[in-house]
Amino acid sequence: MKKLAMVLSTILLIAMLAACGNSNEKASSNGGNESASGDAKVIKAGIGLNEDHPQYKGLLKFKEIVEEKTDGAIKVETYHSGQLGDDRSMTEALQLGTQEVTIPSTAPLANFVPDFSVYDIPFLFPNEEVADTVLDSDVGQDLLKKLESQNLVGLSYWENGFRDLTNSEHPVATMDDFDGLKIRTMENDLHLDAFSALGANPTPMAFTELFTALQQGTVDGQENPYATIYLQKFYEVQDYVSNTHHIYSPFVFLMSKSFYDGLSEDQQKIVKDAAVEAGKYERKLNREANEKYLQSLQDEGMEYTEITPEAREEMVKAVAPVIDEYKSQIGEETVDKVYKAIEDAQK
């Protein structure tokens, strides 16, 4: 009996060890976007701007909504200041399925879907309200759908805002003042050619390299909304700011298509609705911030120049041939639809 008891004990111990081994193997192989416990899917969401920018605050709002609405079934990890890379590398990471969310400007997206260059047409939108109407219309939403061919899902538009010029050389009030200025632009051919038409010497460069380039004099200036200019402390290496308002730049809330397709229908609706709601919140914060930060830039010692309507009209005429040249590359149908939507929004 004693011998039998020992044999049974040994068999039981082996069975328990085998069960533990299977359990550990299952936990260690539970990769992808789920935690080791299998309780939650994880969204890694990265942006290039810092934690004080309205975009990051909007991302925190997205996190709050998603985690609350899914009862923790989806967790959102947020990364700012280019911790996961620049706009292009993060977008490529979404395509590969190694990152789940990023929120780039539309300019880099034109490298993936050429139609997005329509938003890079200089002096396209007259104000933020018209931009909202067009972006949220069927025309804007149809453009988002084109991203699916690139293994990306566009869930909503957020706001970067009107881009304005800063430099370290002299005030810019007219076309002549652009002459020879080395201006950093995003990696976008339409931006490059538009600034060339204005007389500047444009240089494409990743945003993460910009401050050092300004500091070292590699470029004379750059163009971004006031909130970005202030929060990135460009006033430390730039002396002049002008309200050129040459481009209205939207952000696009992107999600990896492979991740999105792996969500349930209810979860897809939650992340879509959260991206829209957080986007409205971000737009509001961004507009408040741009108004505030223009004054802050002046308080930091930057000289502000107001562009007159006459000077802006001269700039519009200078870039008109560039727009005509790019219309076929962007897609004539897309350009015509956006211009028609802008016209309708102003009625």
Side-chain angles (χ1 to χ4, degrees):
M1 290 293 293
K2 187 175 181 181
K3 194 171 188 180
L4 179 59
M6 289 178 65
V7 171
L8 291 173
S9 296
T10 302
I11 293 172
L12 180 61
L13 179 60
I14 292 171
M16 290 174 63
L17 289 172
C20 288
N22 290 338
S23 176
N24 290 337
E25 182 180 352
K26 183 178 179 181
S28 63
S29 64
N30 188 15
N33 301 99
E34 294 190 14
S35 65
S37 65
D39 290 336
K41 292 181 180 292
V42 177
I43 292 175
K44 293 192 300 294
I47 62 170
L49 296 167
N50 69 28
E51 69 272 28
D52 294 321
H53 196 279
Q55 187 190 49
Y56 187 67
K57 294 175 182 177
L59 188 54
L60 293 178
K61 174 65 74 174
F62 172 79
K63 169 184 170 70
E64 175 190 324
I65 296 168
V66 168
E67 293 184 350
E68 178 184 343
K69 296 291 187 183
T70 64
D71 293 324
I74 300 177
K75 298 290 187 185
V76 181
E77 297 176 355
T78 60
Y79 300 86
H80 55 75
S81 306
Q83 291 171 300
L84 300 182
D86 60 24
D87 281 350
R88 179 159 188 154
S89 63
M90 286 191 285
T91 301
E92 289 171 347
L94 263 63
Q95 291 179 303
L96 294 171
T98 57
Q99 184 177 328
E100 289 68 54
V101 163
T102 191
I103 317 172
S105 293
T106 51
L109 281 183
N111 294 303
F112 300 88
V113 177
D115 301 65
F116 275 91
S117 284
V118 71
Y119 298 130
D120 297 306
I121 291 176
F123 309 104
L124 180 67
F125 291 114
N127 54 57
E128 291 98 340
E129 291 72 27
V130 169
D132 287 349
T133 300
V134 175
L135 294 172
D136 296 338
S137 72
D138 289 344
V139 172
Q141 298 305 303
D142 286 345
L143 269 175
L144 292 182
K145 292 174 185 175
K146 292 179 181 287
L147 291 161
E148 294 184 14
S149 66
Q150 297 297 311
N151 202 30
L152 301 166
V153 178
L155 294 180
S156 67
Y157 290 100
W158 290 20
E159 178 177 89
N160 192 3
F162 279 107
R163 305 180 75 87
D164 293 293
L165 183 72
T166 71
N167 79 96
S168 57
E169 296 296 306
H170 53 250
V172 172
T174 67
M175 276 276 297
D176 292 341
D177 297 325
F178 280 94
D179 190 34
L181 279 180
K182 293 179 290 184
I183 304 297
R184 176 268 175 183
T185 72
M186 290 186 280
E187 299 174 47
N188 181 281
D189 289 341
L190 179 49
H191 283 211
L192 292 168
D193 288 347
F195 271 102
S196 293
L198 290 170
N201 180 15
T203 302
M205 184 182 299
F207 183 74
T208 49
E209 301 170 8
L210 179 52
F211 187 93
T212 301
L214 292 168
Q215 190 175 45
Q216 295 177 348
T218 306
V219 291
D220 301 319
Q222 62 83 52
E223 41 86 50
N224 264 297
Y226 300 136
T228 302
I229 295 167
Y230 182 80
L231 292 171
Q232 297 299 134
K233 299 186 177 181
F234 291 153
Y235 55 79
E236 293 182 355
V237 288
Q238 298 279 268
D239 299 314
Y240 307 98
V241 57
S242 303
N243 73 326
T244 48
H245 271 34
H246 50 278
I247 288 170
Y248 176 86
S249 180
F251 288 130
V252 175
F253 191 103
L254 288 179
M255 180 168 280
S256 167
K257 189 174 187 299
S258 57
F259 176 80
Y260 183 80
D261 288 348
L263 299 176
S264 68
E265 287 188 15
D266 286 345
Q267 289 173 334
Q268 288 179 349
K269 185 176 189 308
I270 286 170
V271 297
K272 165 72 173 175
D273 291 347
V276 172
E277 183 178 341
K280 291 177 180 178
Y281 174 75
E282 186 269 348
R283 284 175 179 174
K284 178 177 180 292
L285 290 184
N286 198 60
R287 286 162 197 180
E288 292 171 352
N290 277 318
E291 185 176 339
K292 166 189 170 185
Y293 289 133
L294 173 58
Q295 183 58 52
S296 298
L297 292 172
Q298 294 174 80
D299 293 343
E300 291 290 346
M302 293 191 78
E303 181 179 330
Y304 173 66
T305 300
E306 183 86 23
I307 305 295
T308 66
E310 293 77 18
R312 183 171 281 105
E313 184 58 32
E314 188 179 0
M315 297 173 195
V316 171
K317 290 178 180 176
V319 300
V322 176
I323 297 171
D324 291 339
E325 179 185 342
Y326 273 85
K327 188 172 180 180
S328 60
Q329 294 182 36
I330 297 168
E332 293 193 15
E333 183 180 1
T334 295
V335 174
D336 290 343
K337 282 182 177 180
V338 170
Y339 271 116
K340 178 65 165 58
I342 291 170
E343 182 182 335
D344 291 343
Q346 294 181 87
K347 290 179 179 177

